[in-house]
């Protein structure tokens, strides 16, 4: 599996269309906001969702490694309460799951944003939704260092992005918009993922 090239071989970003155009009132209801939280240390907070306490005990659905040339970018693990995840068309997250990514290289927040937007455009995610979400992605995604982790946890109702470092695990944001969860996890799990082999590995349908 190869990582998309751009900006020194890390990410590919494209300008969004239609940002300058007036948005009809009906379209403005298409997407809900992402709630960007102040960092909460999970070791100190008693306000965690039940899933945050148990996701590491969920069975592994699948594991995969993303490489680019001779470099390993990250290792990913998908977990779910029953150890299976059904990927349908159109892709929709309808069950609890956790996608854990352990980074093997330093990656800047801006690179996360560009790579995410590029993947959404390739998967033909609504241009309106991308325009609504993109300004918030920089606050959602931290810059990560080698060995650190991002965990996207969906508890059946909302999504949360957690950031784990040597200092602890921190909440980066809570997502109440199901369209965002579908689009974000769809980068890896949707049938039109740009990483088909990695997708099959995460879904447990192919060996990693």
């Amino acid at each position: 599996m190869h990582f998309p090239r751009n900006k020194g071989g890390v990410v590919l970003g494209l300008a969004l269309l239609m940002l300058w155009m007036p948005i009809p009132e009906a379209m403005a209801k298409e997407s809900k906001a992402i709630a960007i939280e102040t960092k909460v240390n999970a070791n100190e907070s008693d306000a965690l969702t039940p899933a945050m306490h148990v996701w590491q005990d969920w069975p592994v659905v699948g594991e995969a490694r993303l490489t680019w040339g001779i470099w390993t970018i990250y290792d990913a693990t998908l977990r779910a309460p029953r150890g299976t995840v059904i990927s349908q068309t159109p892709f929709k997250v309808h069950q609890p799951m956790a996608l854990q990514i352990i980074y093997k290289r330093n990656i800047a927040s801006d690179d996360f944003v560009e790579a995410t937007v590029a993947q959404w455009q390739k998967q033909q995610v609504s241009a309106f939704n991308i325009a609504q979400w993109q300004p918030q992605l920089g606050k959602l995604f931290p810059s990560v260092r080698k060995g650190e982790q991002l965990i996207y946890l969906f508890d059946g109702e909302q999504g949360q992005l957690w950031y784990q470092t040597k200092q602890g695990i921190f909440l980066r944001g809570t997502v109440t918009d199901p369209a965002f969860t579908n689009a974000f996890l769809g980068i890896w799990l949707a049938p039109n993922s740009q990483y088909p082999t990695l997708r099959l590995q995460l879904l447990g349908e192919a060996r990693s």
Side-chain angles (χ1 to χ4, degrees):
M1 189 61 57
H2 298 286
F3 200 64
R5 296 173 179 258
N6 197 26
K7 286 190 67 178
V10 180
V11 292
L12 172 61
L14 297 174
L16 292 176
L17 300 177
M18 300 173 64
L19 292 180
W20 56 273
M21 298 178 64
I23 298 174
E25 183 177 352
M27 289 181 62
K29 298 178 181 179
E30 184 176 345
S31 174
K32 301 176 184 177
I34 304 168
I36 305 298
E37 308 285 357
T38 303
K39 287 186 180 180
V40 176
N41 190 326
N43 299 324
E44 301 173 357
S45 173
D46 59 359
L48 304 178
T49 63
M52 190 58 206
H53 292 289
V54 301
W55 73 268
Q56 293 182 75
D57 296 326
W58 291 346
V60 171
V61 178
E63 298 174 309
R65 169 169 286 184
L66 181 66
T67 59
W68 176 57
I70 63 173
W71 293 283
T72 298
I73 308 302
Y74 60 68
D75 289 332
T77 301
L78 181 66
R79 294 176 179 269
R82 296 184 179 180
T84 59
V85 168
I86 298 174
S87 178
Q88 56 192 9
T89 303
F91 179 72
K92 183 178 180 181
V93 179
H94 62 279
Q95 65 185 94
M97 65 183 71
L99 179 65
Q100 176 189 25
I101 300 179
I102 303 174
Y103 289 89
K104 302 300 183 180
R105 300 180 64 82
N106 300 346
I107 300 181
S109 174
D110 289 348
D111 290 336
F112 279 122
V113 174
E114 291 188 17
T116 299
V117 170
Q119 291 302 306
W120 283 343
Q121 291 172 334
K122 290 177 181 179
Q123 292 181 289
Q124 299 184 330
V125 172
S126 161
F128 174 78
N129 281 352
I130 294 176
Q132 297 298 298
W133 298 333
Q134 186 176 12
Q136 301 180 74
L137 292 179
K139 299 177 183 178
L140 189 66
F141 295 135
S143 294
V144 301
R145 301 187 65 81
K146 181 179 178 180
E148 295 180 341
Q149 304 179 33
L150 291 179
I151 303 105
Y152 193 86
L153 175 66
F154 180 69
D155 65 5
E157 296 183 359
Q158 65 181 17
Q160 291 182 327
L161 183 69
W162 292 86
Y163 173 40
Q164 184 162 359
T165 71
K166 293 180 180 179
Q167 286 70 45
I169 184 166
F170 303 91
L171 178 63
R172 293 291 302 186
T174 297
V175 179
T176 57
D177 184 355
F180 181 93
T181 293
N182 292 337
F184 185 67
L185 291 178
I187 292 173
W188 293 271
L189 304 179
N192 65 342
S193 170
Q194 301 300 298
Y195 306 114
T197 300
L198 185 144
R199 170 182 175 269
L200 292 177
Q201 291 170 345
L202 286 174
L203 292 172
E205 298 177 11
R207 291 186 177 182
S208 56

